[in-house]
Amino acid sequence: MMREPLLDRKSGAQQPSFPSFLTKYLYSGHFLARWGARMWEFSVGLYMISIWPDSLLLAAVYGVVESGSIFLLGSTIGEWVDKLSYVKVLQLWLMTQNFSFVVAGATVFGMLAYSDLKSTNPGLFIVLIVVTNLSGAMGMLSTLAGTILIEREWVVVMSEGQPPGLLTQMNSVIRRIDLICKLFAPVVSGFIISFISLKVSAMTLAILNATCVWLEYWFFMSVYKGIPALVERNLRRTLRPSPVDLLESSLIQNGDPESAESSHKQNFREKISKIPFVCAWKVYLEQEVVIPGVSLALLYFTVLSFGSLMTATLEWEGVPAFVIGIARGISATIGIAATLVYPVLQSRISTLRTGLWSCWSQVQ
């Protein structure tokens, strides 16, 4: 059995063959997209507890809607990203994400401006709550599509045929950008909420997403047009069948002759297996990384994160919004430090040992 060397002394700056400004465009577009998502992620719990100060019900309901939508539709989003062209995914992602947060910010502003709406017009109040929850969930689902497109597709394609450490370097920077947004967006939102008002915060969120979408699109399209490898990969991926399609074909080929003869004669198990949600999970369960993925998920059960419900609870207990934002920023700072340490460790002790040491450090 071959062993990986404990130390890898090869170092040096990893310079790609494409213009460096395209990488900066990619990072800039990713920063703008993540900033809006992080602002909403932090502020929504504070909005909900302010709209209904006597209960955590609205914050809890939103958390269930958002998490449930990602759980049920996340695999379908991944399937769409895999089937559609890069440009189509980019357009749908940016328009859906930014429009959803604009709508969510506008509905929140309306409920905060008319604080007595719950008692004077309960029907309209319920409609606004439903729209806010659905808009927020759609925004987070589209953010997931953008994450898959940029982090799982574009970064990998851009690093192919480049210096060996470029993929690690780009992944670290992308992750660092996300954590920087997680650090500063809550702080900015917290200060706006604490020292100006919640209504100004909601309005700022809506205006920011409405104006930044065009700049984000220009950044990403400049990257796409400037790197031929992305265009070539886009042509190949749109012509090949997706893993879910291959799974469905194998199910039909391996089924009984009578069930394959007509769709009306398919049994219940075959019908269930063709549901996109179930098909996607079948594909995932057949991958080699399924056990490490489950292990990582179990590890995250031990983490107490600053989600919308925890943020709302702290606000409910009287903790100022800017203090919550600063506390969340401190937690993100540790994550930023990890993105700086990881490339160094990965280049010296290999990816496998770095991952093992990281997991064991979290467990302890």
Side-chain angles (χ1 to χ4, degrees), residues 20-33 90 93-94 149-150 154 158 211-227 230:
S20 60
F21 72 87
L22 292 177
T23 307
K24 295 178 182 177
Y25 282 2
L26 179 73
Y27 296 155
S28 299
H30 186 67
F31 172 81
L32 292 175
L90 182 64
W93 159 39
L94 295 180
L149 177 67
I150 300 301
W154 283 24
M158 291 171 65
T211 54
C212 285
V213 59
W214 313 109
L215 188 57
E216 294 168 19
Y217 184 72
W218 180 79
F219 277 135
F220 287 125
M221 283 304 298
S222 298
V223 174
Y224 176 76
K225 294 177 180 178
I227 300 180
L230 289 175

Side-chain angles (χ1 to χ4, degrees), residues 61-245:
V61 168
Y62 175 80
V64 171
V65 171
E66 180 187 305
S67 302
S69 63
I70 294 176
F71 175 77
L72 294 174
L73 301 177
S75 56
T76 304
I77 295 296
E79 182 183 347
W80 287 349
V81 172
D82 194 58
K83 283 184 175 181
L84 299 177
S85 66
Y86 283 157
V87 176
K88 182 63 68 175
V89 174
L90 182 64
Q91 293 171 345
L92 290 174
W93 159 39
L94 295 180
M95 292 303 297
T96 304
Q97 174 182 307
N98 288 275
F99 179 74
S100 297
F101 290 148
V102 168
V103 172
T107 55
V108 167
F109 179 83
M111 288 185 286
L112 292 172
Y114 299 94
S115 55
D116 58 345
L117 194 63
K118 182 172 60 174
S119 56
T120 58
N121 196 337
L124 180 58
F125 177 78
I126 293 175
V127 170
L128 291 177
I129 289 294
V130 171
V131 171
T132 303
N133 278 268
L134 293 179
S135 298
M138 286 182 61
M140 299 312 294
L141 282 172
S142 56
T143 300
L144 175 62
T147 300
I148 297 172
L149 177 67
I150 300 301
E151 299 184 18
R152 304 293 184 267
E153 289 279 347
W154 283 24
V155 170
V156 175
V157 175
M158 291 171 65
S159 62
E160 290 179 351
Q162 305 297 331
L166 183 63
L167 178 59
T168 300
Q169 177 185 335
M170 293 185 69
N171 278 329
S172 297
V173 174
I174 289 289
R175 181 58 180 160
R176 197 176 308 147
I177 289 171
D178 185 34
L179 291 171
I180 287 173
C181 293
K182 189 176 182 179
L183 166 62
F184 289 106
V187 175
V188 172
S189 298
F191 273 86
I192 294 175
I193 292 171
S194 296
F195 299 107
I196 305 180
S197 70
L198 278 164
K199 289 182 285 188
V200 172
S201 172
M203 190 164 51
T204 301
L205 175 71
I207 294 174
L208 180 67
N209 282 275
T211 54
C212 285
V213 59
W214 313 109
L215 188 57
E216 294 168 19
Y217 184 72
W218 180 79
F219 277 135
F220 287 125
M221 283 304 298
S222 298
V223 174
Y224 176 76
K225 294 177 180 178
I227 300 180
L230 289 175
V231 180
E232 294 173 3
R233 175 62 65 87
N234 181 53
L235 293 175
R236 292 201 303 268
R237 72 193 294 274
T238 53
L239 296 176
R240 64 177 171 81
S242 68
V244 175
D245 292 335

Side-chain angles (χ1 to χ4, degrees), residues 293-305 362:
V294 172
S295 301
L296 187 62
L298 293 175
L299 177 61
Y300 272 85
F301 271 109
T302 65
V303 177
L304 184 62
S305 63
Q362 291 186 68

Side-chain angles (χ1 to χ4, degrees), residues 265-292:
K265 297 181 180 181
Q266 292 176 341
N267 58 37
F268 180 75
R269 181 178 179 182
E270 289 174 338
K271 290 181 180 180
I272 293 296
S273 64
K274 286 190 176 183
I275 298 175
F277 169 76
V278 178
C279 273
W281 276 101
K282 277 180 169 289
V283 172
Y284 174 74
L285 293 175
E286 292 177 356
Q287 306 304 309
E288 296 180 354
V289 297
V290 61
I291 295 179

